[in-house]
Amino acid sequence: MTLRDQLEKALVQGHENDLDHLLYNERDHIDDQKVLRDAAVLIAVTDRPNPGVIFVQRPQHMRNHPGQVAFPGGKIDPGDTDAIDAALREAHEEVALDRSHVDIIGMTDRFQSGSGYNIQPVLSVIPPDLPFVADPSEVESWFEAPLDFLFDPKNRTVHEGTWNGRKRHYYEIYWQDYRIWGITAGILNNLEKRLGWAS
């Protein structure tokens, strides 16, 4: 069975059951009157014996989420046909990932962020070792982290902090010198529960 087949089967089966009581997002930290902005991110899994996931690190000069690790992605623009189109566009803009290399598997649980975004993660498979080129205006660097490491609960810790005057809990994962936390770690936590691939 190919990696794509494995991921597709796990994603479909994982969504057959209601796991809302297990999933975490930031909806409790969102002002009820706030209109959420639609966004999409691409979870690009590399097709290799030990699959990895592609991440970008935002530059420190960015207004939103400076220096944070994220999946390629961003706001859904009026010209985008849907969340998939937006995720593919953003990935191409940020790291020159050609959409012809991306095999879309499907969409998984939306993540509502306390910063006001309704984020649609798009799961996909890409060939390994593509020649990514980071756009310096949006991406400081990019890296690949092993899927097994990211999905192992032993590598994911829960922390408490205060944001906008409210206490919030968030996940944190360290891979080498990179800190994966907040929204991105939350999406990974949700996806691991859907796929059931915990080590």
Side-chain angles (χ1 to χ4, degrees):
M1 185 181 293
T2 66
L3 174 63
R4 189 205 192 284
D5 291 339
Q6 289 177 309
L7 289 171
E8 183 178 43
K9 181 179 179 181
L11 188 65
V12 170
Q13 290 179 342
H15 278 272
E16 289 175 352
N17 300 312
D18 182 8
L19 300 181
D20 283 351
H21 63 289
L22 294 174
L23 302 182
Y24 172 83
N25 63 25
E26 298 175 351
R27 64 168 62 95
D28 293 338
H29 302 278
I30 302 171
D31 184 340
D32 291 338
Q33 304 302 313
K34 191 169 189 176
V35 176
L36 297 179
R37 292 163 287 182
D38 288 330
V41 296
L42 187 71
I43 305 174
V45 181
T46 53
D47 191 0
R48 61 171 87 247
N50 182 20
V53 178
I54 302 300
F55 297 93
V56 297
Q57 183 169 35
R58 303 297 184 196
Q60 293 293 339
H61 62 73
M62 293 193 77
R63 186 179 65 179
N64 295 322
H65 309 294
Q68 288 192 12
V69 168
F71 299 108
K75 289 182 290 187
I76 298 178
D77 289 344
D80 298 321
T81 56
D82 53 23
I84 293 174
D85 191 41
L88 291 172
R89 174 185 55 76
E90 288 281 355
H92 183 262
E93 291 175 359
E94 292 178 2
V95 293
L97 173 56
D98 193 308
R99 64 177 61 207
S100 66
H101 291 306
V102 183
D103 187 2
I104 300 294
I105 295 172
M107 296 184 284
T108 187
D109 300 277
R110 288 181 178 272
F111 192 100
Q112 296 177 341
S113 75
S115 55
Y117 287 96
N118 184 31
I119 303 165
Q120 177 62 71
V122 179
L123 182 63
S124 68
V125 172
I126 62 172
D129 305 317
L130 291 174
F132 295 125
V133 179
D135 177 352
S137 68
E138 296 189 72
V139 175
E140 182 175 297
S141 63
W142 68 270
F143 66 98
E144 179 179 345
L147 194 64
D148 285 346
F149 182 91
L150 298 169
F151 280 180
D152 189 337
K154 295 193 298 291
N155 299 321
R156 188 168 56 245
T157 55
V158 180
H159 299 267
E160 182 180 276
T162 301
W163 186 74
N164 281 355
R166 296 183 179 183
K167 284 188 177 180
R168 55 171 289 199
H169 293 85
Y170 60 90
Y171 291 102
E172 185 177 70
I173 304 167
Y174 275 93
W175 167 249
Q176 297 180 346
D177 294 331
Y178 291 101
R179 179 190 183 213
I180 305 167
W181 70 288
I183 296 167
T184 304
I187 290 172
L188 284 170
N189 176 70
N190 292 359
L191 184 63
E192 179 265 308
K193 286 180 169 57
R194 287 300 187 191
L195 297 181
W197 275 20
S199 301

